[in-house]
C-alpha cells in the first residue's frame, strides 16, 4: 500500500470490453510515488502494458482515462482528466487532456483511473455508476453525432446531470484525428484517441458518483484554495479572460505574425476583425462556461443569430479553433468559425488537425494537385466555408477523398506527392497547432521535440522568443523549452488546469503544496519537475521502441523555405543548419545520445533502470 492519506481514491478499474468483465485494482506504490497521476500514469501504463508490436487500432491497444491527485478537490481549476493510448495518428504515445466535470465525477464514483482493454462485439457504452461498471448496448447510438449521443444517453438514464465522454461518426470510422467529446463541447482533441474508442466499438463512457474523496489536511487545502482565489480574483486580466477566453490571443498572435493563415502560407490574416474575440463578443457570445472549481471561466458559449448557420450552438470558439479552422482555412466570419467548431465537436474531429487537413487540401486544390472531380466537385478555395463544411463531413464518413484525408496530412501528402509534402504541416504525424514558428525558434523546437507530435500545450515557448529575439538559436532557448516541457505537464499529472498559473499568476508551488495537503505526501516543485522529467523520458522511450529517432525531431520544409510574406516578421524563416544544431543541443542537454535516445545513465538517474534494460 502506498503512503498517501488522501487525494487519491486508491482504485483503478480495469475493463475488458470483449468479455464484459470489470475488475478493481489497488493503486500501486510506484504509480503514486513515481508518476503522480494523469499523464504520468498513462505513460507508465502505455510503456508497461502495451507491447511495442500492438497496432494502435488493434484490440490489444488500451485506452487509459486518468485523473490526478487534485482532480475534483478543493483546488483551483481541478477538473482535468487525461485520455491516452498509443496514437493511431502518430504510432507513438498519445494523450489529450480535457476539463469540465467528467474527471471529478469519475473520482466521486470511486475510480482514480480506468484502463479499457479489448474490443466489444457490438457498439457499447459504459455506465460507471457509483463504482459499478455496466456494459450497455449502444447500437442505437452508432452513427450519431456527439451532441445527440449525449442527449439520448441522458434521456435513457433519465439523468441530465450525468457526465459523458463520447465519440462522433469520425471516431467510429477510425478517422486518425478523431477526438473524444466531453460534456457536449469540450474535446480531448489530440492524437486520435476517438479512433481508439471507435476501434473498440466503445461509443461513450457515462459516469456519476457521490462518494467522498479523503483529504489528508483539509484545513491546509482550504487555506491554499483561498490564497489561490485571492490571487486569481484580484488579477487585472481576469475580466478579459472571462470576456473572450483564449480567443483574445488571436489579435496578439496576428499582431506578432504567428497566426497560421491559409495553411501557414502567411502569418497574419487581413480579415482578423471578422473572427477575433471582439467579433465573438458582439455577434455570437451568449455566456461563459467554466470547468470544475475554476474562477477564470475561459470557456465561451456561442449561438449564431442570423444567416446561413442561424441556430448553430457551440462551446467556443477558443484560440485554436479560430486559428486553425478560421484564418488557416481563410474563413472571414465568426459565424462560420462557430459552425466549423460545432461540426468538429459533433462529428468528433480534433479541430486543430481538422483545420490543418482542410487547409492542406485547399492548398492542394489551388495548386492544381487535387482536381475538382477528386474533391466531390467542391470549389475548395480558401475562404469557401460551404465547401469546407462539406469536406469535414466527407472526412468524418471517409467517403471518396475523405478516406485519404482521414489519415492526416502526413499520409495524405505522401499519397498525393508532387511536392505537397513540403507544406504538409505536421511533426511526427501530428498536425502543428496554432503558432507559426518561422520567427520563433523556441516554439519551433517545442513542436519538433514534443513527445506526442507537434502540440503547443507541452511547451508554449513563443512568448520567450518574442521576449529575447526572433532570430536566435541559443542554449537559453533550448533550456527554456526543456524547463517548460516539465513544468507545464506537471499540471496534467496533478489533474488541474495550467491557465490560472500561466495567465493569473497563481504560483506553481501552491499547487505542489495543495498536492501535499491532499495526499499527505511531501513534495517540492523541484521534486515534481523530476517526476515530469521521468515521464518525458518514458514517453521518449516508448517512441524509440516504436522506431522514432532524433531525425524525426523535425519540422516541415515550409518553415525553412518560405519566408513570412508580410508584416513585422516579413522575411523570417528558420535556418536549417542552426535549427539542426539546436536539436542536437536539446538531445545533449537532455542526456540523450546523438540519435536522440535516452542514455542508460539518464534513465537510471530517473529511477527507470528497468526501462533502460528493456530498451
Ligand atoms: Fe477550464 Fe478555462 Fe478554467 Fe482551464 S481556465 S479550468 S480551460 S474554464
Amino acid at each position: 500500500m502506498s503512503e498517501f492519506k488522501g487525494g487519491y481514491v486508491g482504485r483503478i478499474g480495469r475493463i475488458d470490453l470483449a468479455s464484459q468483465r470489470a475488475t478493481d485494482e489497488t493503486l500501486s506504490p510506484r504509480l503514486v510515488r513515481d508518476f503522480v497521476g494523469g499523464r504520468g500514469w498513462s505513460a507508465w501504463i502505455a510503456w508497461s502494458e502495451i507491447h511495442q508490436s500492438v497496432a494502435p487500432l488493434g484490440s490489444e491497444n488500451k485506452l487509459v482515462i486518468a485523473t490526478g491527485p487534485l482532480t475534483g478537490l478543493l483546488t483551483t481549476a481541478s477538473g482535468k482528466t487525461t485520455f491516452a493510448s498509443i496514437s493511431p495518428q502518430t504510432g507513438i504515445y498519445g494523450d489529450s487532456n480535457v476539463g469540465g466535470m467528467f474527471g471529478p465525477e469519475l473520482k466521486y464514483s470511486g475510480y482514480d483511473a480506468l484502463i479499457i482493454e479489448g474490443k466489444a462485439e457490438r457498439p457499447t457504452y459504459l455506465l460507471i455508476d457509483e463504482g459499478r461498471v455496466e456494459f450497455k448496448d449502444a447500437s442505437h447510438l452508432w452513427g450519431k453525432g456527439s451532441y445527440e449521443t449525449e442527449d439520448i444517453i441522458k434521456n435513457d438514464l433519465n439523468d441530465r446531470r450525468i457526465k459523458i465522454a463520447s465519440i462522433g461518426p469520425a471516431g467510429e470510422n477510425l478517422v486518425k484525428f478523431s477526438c473524444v467529446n466531453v460534456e457536449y463541447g469540450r474535446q480531448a482533441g489530440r492524437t486520435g484517441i476517438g479512433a481508439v474508442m471507435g476501434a473498440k466499438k466503445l461509443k461513450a463512457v457515462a459516469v456519476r458518483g457521490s462518494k467522498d474523496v479523503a483529504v489528508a489536511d483539509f484545513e491546509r487545502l482550504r487555506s491554499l484554495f483561498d490564497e489561490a482565489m485571492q490571487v486569481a480574483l484580484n488579477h487585472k486580466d481576469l475580466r478579459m479572460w472571462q470576456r473572450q477566453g483564449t480567443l483574445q490571443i488571436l489579435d496578439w498572435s496576428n499582431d506578432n505574425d504567428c497566426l497560421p493563415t491559409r495553411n501557414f502560407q502567411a502569418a497574419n490574416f487581413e480579415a482578423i476583425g471578422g473572427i477575433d474575440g471582439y467579433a465573438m463578443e458582439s455577434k455570437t457570445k451568449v455566456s461563459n462556461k467554466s470547468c470544475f472549481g475554476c474562477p477564470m471561466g475561459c470557456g465561451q458559449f456561442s449561438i449564431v443569430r442570423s444567416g446561413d448557420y442561424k441556430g448553430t450552438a457551440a462551446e467556443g470558439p477558443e484560440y485554436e479553433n479560430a486559428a486553425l479552422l478560421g484564418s488557416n482555412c481563410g474563413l472571414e466570419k465568426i459565424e462560420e468559425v462557430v459552425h466549423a467548431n460545432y461540426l468538429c465537436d459533433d462529428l468528433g474531429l480534433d479541430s486543430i488537425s481538422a483545420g490543418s487537413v482542410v487547409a492542406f487540401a485547399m492548398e492542394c486544390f489551388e495548386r492544381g494537385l487535387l482536381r475538382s472531380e477528386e474533391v466531390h466537385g467542391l470549389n475548395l478555395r480558401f475562404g469557401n466555408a460551404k465547401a469546407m463544411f462539406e469536406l469535414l463531413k466527407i472526412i468524418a464518413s471517409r467517403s471518396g477523398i475523405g478516406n485519404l484525408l482521414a489519415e492526416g496530412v502526413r499520409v495524405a501528402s505522401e499519397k498525393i506527392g508532387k511536392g505537397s509534402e513540403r507544406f504538409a504541416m505536421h511533426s511526427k504525424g501530428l498536425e502543428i497547432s496554432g503558432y507559426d514558428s518561422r520567427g520563433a525558434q523556441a516554439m519551433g523546437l517545442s513542436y519538433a521535440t514534443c513527445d506526442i507530435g507537434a502540440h503547443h500545450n507541452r511547451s508554449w515557448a513563443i512568448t520567450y522568443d518574442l521576449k529575447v529575439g526572433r532570430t536566435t538559436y541559443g542554449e537559453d532557448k533550448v533550456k527554456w523549452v526543456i524547463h517548460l516541457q516539465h513544468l507545464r505537464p506537471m499540471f496534467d499529472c496533478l489533474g488541474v488546469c495550467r491557465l490560472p498559473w500561466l495567465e493569473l499568476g497563481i504560483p506553481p508551488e501552491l499547487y505542489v503544496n495543495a498536492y501535499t495537503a491532499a495526499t499527505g505526501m511531501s513534495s517540492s516543485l523541484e521534486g515534481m519537475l523530476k517526476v515530469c522529467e521521468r515521464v518525458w523520458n518514458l514517453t521518449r522511450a516508448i517512441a524509440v521502441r516504436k522506431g522514432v529517432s532524433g531525425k524525426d525531431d523535425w519540422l516541415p520544409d515550409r518553415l525553412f523555405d518560405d519566408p513570412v510574406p508580410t508584416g513585422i516578421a516579413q522575411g523570417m524563416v528558420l535556418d536549417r543548419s542552426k535549427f539542426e544544431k539546436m536539436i542536437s543541443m536539446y538531445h545533449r542537454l537532455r542526456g540523450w545520445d546523438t540519435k536522440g535516445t535516452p542514455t542508460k545513465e539518464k534513465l537510471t538517474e530517473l529511477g527507470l533502470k528497468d526501462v533502460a534494460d528493456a530498451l
Side-chain angles (χ1 to χ4, degrees), residues 77 186 289-291 294 296-299 497 499:
R186 290 201 168 258
K289 276 194 81 178
S290 214
C291 303
C294 180
M296 258 175 106
C298 82
C497 179
L499 280 179

